[in-house]
Amino acid sequence: MTSEAPEEEFSIHWIRDVTEEVLKRNAAVFLISTGKSPSGSIHIGIMREIIIADVIKRELVRTGNDARTMFVVDDYDPVRSFPASVSLNLEDWVGIPYSDVVDEFGCCGSFGAHYANELIETFDAFGVNPEIIWTSKLYETPEMQDAVRICLKHTEVIRDIMIEYVANDFNEEQKERYIESMKNWYPASVVCPKCGHLQAGAKGAITPNRITSYNPESDMVSFECQACGHSDEVTLDRLRIKLVWRVDWPAKWHVLNVTCEPAGKDHSVKGGSYDTGLEVSRRVFDWPGPVKVPYEWVRIGGRDMSTSEGIVFTPRVWLSIAPPELYRYLLLKTDLTRAINIQPERIPDMIDEYERFERVYYGVEDANETRRELAQLVYPLCLSGDLSPEYIPKLPFKFATVISQLADILGHEATLEKCEQALKKQYGLEEVPQEAKALIEPRLERALYWVRGYGSERDRIEITEEVSQDVLSTLTDPDREFLAKVVELLHHKDLDEDSLQSAIFEAARGVGIKDRRAFVVIYRILISRKSGPRLAPFISTLGRGWVADRIASIL
RNA sequence: GGGCCGGUGGCUCAGCCCGGUAGAGCGACAGGCUCUUAACUUGUUGGCCGCGGGUUCGAAUCCCGCCCGGCCCGCCA
C-alpha cells in the first residue's frame, strides 16, 4: 500500500477492492479463471462469474498489466442426472463423463460440448472472450498427468486435509467412521477402459471407481470398476484418470497457473471446496493458489435457478429480450455479497435506468459528483463492444414495445421511419446518426420478444381482425354519426396530425357527444380498449386509409 | 449443528464499512403536451428504517440478543 491516509481511501466500487487484491500477486500474466460443468442448458448465473472475471481483467489491462481470462468446461465430470428436457435415458449414461455422452441433437461432439457451446456462443454478445479449456482434453496433457502423479504421491497429506475440512463439523462417531473410510482412499478415480464409467450408481448412491493402490516407484495404478466389475493394474499413463472434486480444482489451478477465480457461494463457504482447494494448493502444490472472489447467486423471479430442476433462464433468452450491457450493469452495480434477482417484467424500467446512467457518463444528463465518478469507472465496464466517443441516442424501450407491435400493420420501412422521427423529437436531432440507426432494429426485436413473453396485458396491443360484437353493441346513434365524420376527416389528405386531432374534437362536439366518449369509441374500434397512444399520431402509425376502412366497415 | 445474505414509503432497491437533513426508480394522484394517451414531461403523495436492549450529546448506520424470510455446508455458480 502506497497510501498512508486510509481514512480518505474508501473504495467507490467492489471492482477496485478486488483488483487491488489480485495485483498483490505480482504475476507476469494475471490469469482469471472461471468454470462450469455442462450438465444441461447452462443458466445465466454463470455469466455473473464470467463477467466478474472479465471486468477484473479489463481493470488490470487498463492499469497496464497483462491479464487474460479463461473458461474451463468441466466436461470430464460424470453424469449424475439429466434435466427433464433431455430425452436420453439416464441409466445408459449415468457415471460417464459428459465428454463421452452422445449429443442427442447431433450437432456437437458430445453432450458436454453441446451445452457448453450453447453458452460459449453468447460470449461475444456479452463482451467476454475467455480462452476455452475442456477438462476432458486437459487431463490428456502431460502437465495434468504430472499433477495427478503429484496428488497420488501426496495421498497422505490430502487425506489429512480432507479429514480436517470435510469432517470438521462431524460428531465423534461420524468422524471416526469418516476416518476409517479414508484409510484406503486415493484422491482419484478411473474411467473404466471396458465400460466407460467413472462411477456407478445414481444421485445419492454413487460409488466412484476409486484407485485402489498406487505405487510411486513403478507408477502402477490398480482399480476396480464399480459398474462392470472390470479390474486391472497398469501404469498411470495408460489410464484415463480424474481427480476427486476437491483436488481436481487445485490441480487445475496449479497446471493452468490461475491467479484469481470467482466462485459462487456454494463453493466459497467457509471450509468448503474452495478453502479445501487452497489448502491442497499450499500443502501439495506448494503455492498460495488463486485469489478467491466469492459472489452470491443470480435468481430469476425470486427463485434460485437450477439446471436439474429445469428453472433455467439462459444467456440466450436474456439476449432475446434485453441488451447484454444491461446484464453487465446489473452485475456491476450489485455488491458481490448480494443476490441479483432478475425480474423479466421489469426489464423496460431497468433499461431506462441503465440508459440514464449512460447519459450521465456522457454528461448529457445531470448528476452529482459521486454518480458521475461512478459512471466513469463503471460505464466502460458495462459495454460489450467498443466505447463510443460520443453519446449514441437510444430509442426509448417503452416506445419500442408499442411500435414493435404495430410493425406488421405499418410495414418495416414505415416502422423504422417512425422510430427515427421519435429519436429526432426526443433528442432534438436534425439527423439520426448512423450508429443510432443501427440500434433500432435489434431494439424493436427485443421489445417485441419482451412484450410477447413478459409484458403485462397493459403492454400488449392487440388489433383484432374484426371489430368485436361487444364493441359494436355499445355504439349509439350519435357515436355512429361521429364516426362517419371521422371517416370523412381521414380522407382529407391535407390535414396534418395536429389539425386532425383538433378536427376530431370538433366532430365530437358537432354531434353532441363528450370528448371522452369520442376517444373511448375510437380506441375500442381500433384496439378493443378504452384508451391508447395519443390518437392522431397513433392513427398515422396505423395508416389513415386502414383506420378509415376499419371504421367504415362497421357503419 | 456450522455459516452467509436480506428485513428501509404500495413494489424494487440505494444509504450502513466513514453515526449528525431518510433517498431513487416504479406505482398512485394531479398537471403539461388542445379537453383522449401506454412515449415524453412537471409536481404531489407516501416510511415510528423487523423487534428489544446497549454505546453516544446524537443510531437506519456501531455493539449485544431475538424474530421473520431466503440460502449454503455430498454433486450443483
Side-chain angles (χ1 to χ4, degrees):
Chain A
M1 288 275 78
T2 49
S3 172
E4 292 300 320
E7 58 269 61
E8 297 294 326
E9 299 291 318
F10 301 121
S11 173
I12 67 165
H13 194 94
W14 57 260
I15 188 66
R16 283 280 161 84
D17 298 332
V18 174
T19 40
E20 204 171 278
E21 200 58 35
V22 175
L23 272 169
K24 287 183 188 161
R25 288 302 162 93
N26 282 324
V29 180
F30 292 89
L31 180 62
I32 325 298
S33 184
T34 53
K36 176 77 180 85
S37 86
S39 52
S41 275
I42 301 173
H43 58 66
I44 197 164
I46 190 63
M47 286 306 299
R48 184 170 191 174
E49 175 167 317
I50 293 169
I51 294 170
I52 289 168
D54 180 72
V55 158
I56 295 170
K57 180 195 77 177
R58 287 196 199 181
E59 272 298 282
L60 289 171
V61 169
R62 190 181 63 81
T63 51
N65 298 282
D66 191 354
R68 287 180 309 178
T69 50
M70 181 172 273
F71 179 68
V72 178
V73 181
D74 285 317
D75 64 340
Y76 204 34
D77 288 358
V79 172
R80 238 161 286 267
S81 67
F82 284 140
S85 60
V86 169
S87 66
L88 297 175
N89 183 12
L90 180 63
E91 273 182 36
D92 296 342
W93 301 101
V94 70
I96 290 174
Y98 288 112
S99 58
D100 295 345
V101 176
V102 68
D103 173 18
E104 61 176 324
F105 304 97
C107 54
C108 302
S110 70
F111 182 101
H114 181 90
Y115 289 105
N117 285 337
E118 186 182 270
L119 173 74
I120 291 166
E121 279 162 15
T122 68
F123 281 1
D124 194 44
F126 280 97
V128 298
N129 58 345
E131 183 187 347
I132 312 294
I133 300 287
W134 302 82
T135 307
S136 60
K137 294 275 185 297
L138 183 67
Y139 266 93
E140 291 171 2
T141 64
E143 291 80 8
M144 194 65 188
Q145 287 204 350
D146 278 341
V148 171
R149 267 188 202 96
I150 292 173
C151 290
L152 289 174
K153 285 176 183 166
H154 288 76
T155 292
E156 285 295 331
V157 177
I158 293 170
R159 277 181 201 155
D160 287 350
I161 294 170
M162 294 295 283
I163 289 166
E164 193 177 316
Y165 278 76
V166 178
N168 181 38
D169 48 4
F170 286 4
N171 63 35
E172 279 310 307
E173 194 192 337
Q174 287 175 310
K175 200 163 185 168
E176 257 173 55
R177 217 180 306 144
Y178 186 74
I179 292 171
E180 181 62 27
S181 74
M182 293 296 281
K183 273 205 170 133
N184 295 309
W185 179 92
Y186 283 87
S189 299
V190 172
V191 177
C192 175
K194 279 260 170 14
C195 72
H197 283 74
L198 186 57
Q199 60 190 30
K203 215 172 182 173
I206 295 168
T207 43
N209 294 342
R210 284 274 141 75
I211 285 176
T212 48
S213 72
Y214 173 67
N215 184 336
E217 306 291 311
S218 60
D219 210 28
M220 291 290 271
V221 170
S222 63
F223 70 94
E224 183 180 345
C225 178
Q226 302 296 307
C228 71
H230 173 69
S231 65
D232 206 349
E233 181 167 13
V234 290
T235 53
L236 188 147
D237 59 314
R238 293 180 54 207
L239 285 171
R240 295 174 71 199
I241 293 179
K242 183 181 185 301
L243 293 164
V244 298
W245 162 240
R246 287 176 191 248
V247 181
D248 171 85
W249 210 3
K252 285 184 289 196
W253 289 339
H254 167 253
V255 168
L256 300 168
N257 203 10
V258 175
T259 325
C260 169
E261 177 156 349
K265 62 172 171 182
D266 47 349
H267 293 316
S268 352
V269 183
K270 202 189 263 179
S273 53
Y274 209 116
D275 286 352
T276 315
L278 290 175
E279 188 70 6
V280 171
S281 296
R282 287 186 288 263
R283 286 164 64 181
V284 175
F285 295 109
D286 199 27
W287 75 309
V291 174
K292 172 179 166 183
V293 179
Y295 66 93
E296 249 282 0
W297 284 358
V298 176
R299 319 182 77 211
I300 179 81
R303 303 173 69 191
D304 281 349
M305 284 186 275
S306 158
T307 299
S308 57
E309 286 171 54
I311 307 168
V312 175
F313 186 91
T314 60
R316 197 185 296 278
V317 174
W318 175 280
L319 291 174
S320 74
I321 59 170
E325 291 84 359
L326 178 64
Y327 187 77
R328 296 185 66 112
Y329 170 72
L330 211 55
L331 199 147
L332 280 157
K333 77 165 201 161
T334 309
D335 192 86
L336 294 172
T337 59
R338 303 198 56 165
I340 291 174
N341 185 20
I342 297 174
Q343 295 167 291
E345 67 282 359
R346 296 192 61 232
I347 277 179
D349 285 335
M350 292 194 291
I351 292 176
D352 280 356
E353 182 189 323
Y354 170 66
E355 284 170 5
R356 255 197 307 278
F357 179 74
E358 179 180 46
R359 291 194 292 275
V360 168
Y361 173 82
Y362 283 103
V364 293
E365 179 144 334
D366 292 338
N368 61 36
E369 186 59 33
T370 318
R371 239 180 105 64
R372 260 180 305 175
E373 203 182 322
L374 197 65
Q376 289 308 311
L377 169 68
V378 173
Y379 176 71
L381 296 173
C382 292
L383 295 176
S384 55
D386 294 334
L387 178 63
S388 162
E390 282 171 19
Y391 174 63
I392 302 170
K394 307 289 190 304
L395 188 69
F397 192 82
K398 288 174 189 174
F399 177 85
T401 62
V402 175
I403 193 124
S404 64
Q405 296 180 80
L406 301 173
D408 283 346
I409 301 166
L410 271 176
H412 188 66
E413 289 308 312
T415 304
L416 294 184
E417 181 54 38
K418 270 277 162 201
C419 292
E420 289 186 25
Q421 278 172 20
L423 273 173
K424 283 184 197 164
K425 193 175 166 197
Q426 175 116 23
Y427 297 99
L429 303 171
E430 293 283 311
E431 274 306 313
V432 180
Q434 200 49 47
E435 298 82 5
K437 281 186 188 173
L439 297 175
I440 292 175
E441 286 196 67
R443 169 136 300 190
L444 289 173
E445 221 169 287
R446 287 189 171 121
L448 188 60
Y449 260 96
W450 176 83
V451 84
R452 295 242 166 102
Y454 304 92
S456 68
E457 192 161 322
R458 237 168 86 91
D459 298 312
R460 266 173 284 193
I461 297 173
E462 278 165 45
I463 299 177
T464 49
E465 282 293 306
E466 286 178 16
V467 182
S468 83
Q469 202 55 44
D470 288 352
V471 172
L472 288 179
S473 63
T474 64
L475 292 181
T476 63
D477 286 343
D479 288 341
R480 289 172 193 278
E481 205 180 317
F482 160 69
L483 290 169
K485 284 197 177 181
V486 171
V487 173
E488 251 176 71
L489 287 172
L490 289 171
H491 288 306
H492 268 288
K493 292 204 169 54
D494 49 340
L495 285 177
D496 62 22
E497 282 185 3
D498 283 350
S499 321
L500 178 64
Q501 182 106 3
S502 304
I504 290 172
F505 279 109
E506 309 253 328
R509 290 194 195 108
V511 299
I513 63 171
K514 285 190 177 161
D515 305 330
R516 172 181 225 97
R517 173 74 191 167
F519 283 94
V520 167
V521 165
I522 295 181
Y523 283 115
R524 280 207 174 129
I525 290 169
L526 297 180
I527 55 177
S528 302
R529 273 287 156 72
K530 60 186 202 296
S531 66
R534 188 170 165 72
L535 192 57
F538 187 48
I539 288 176
S540 306
T541 301
L542 295 169
R544 289 190 192 188
W546 184 87
V547 174
D549 290 348
R550 174 119 172 158
I551 297 175
S553 75
I554 59 153
L555 289 178

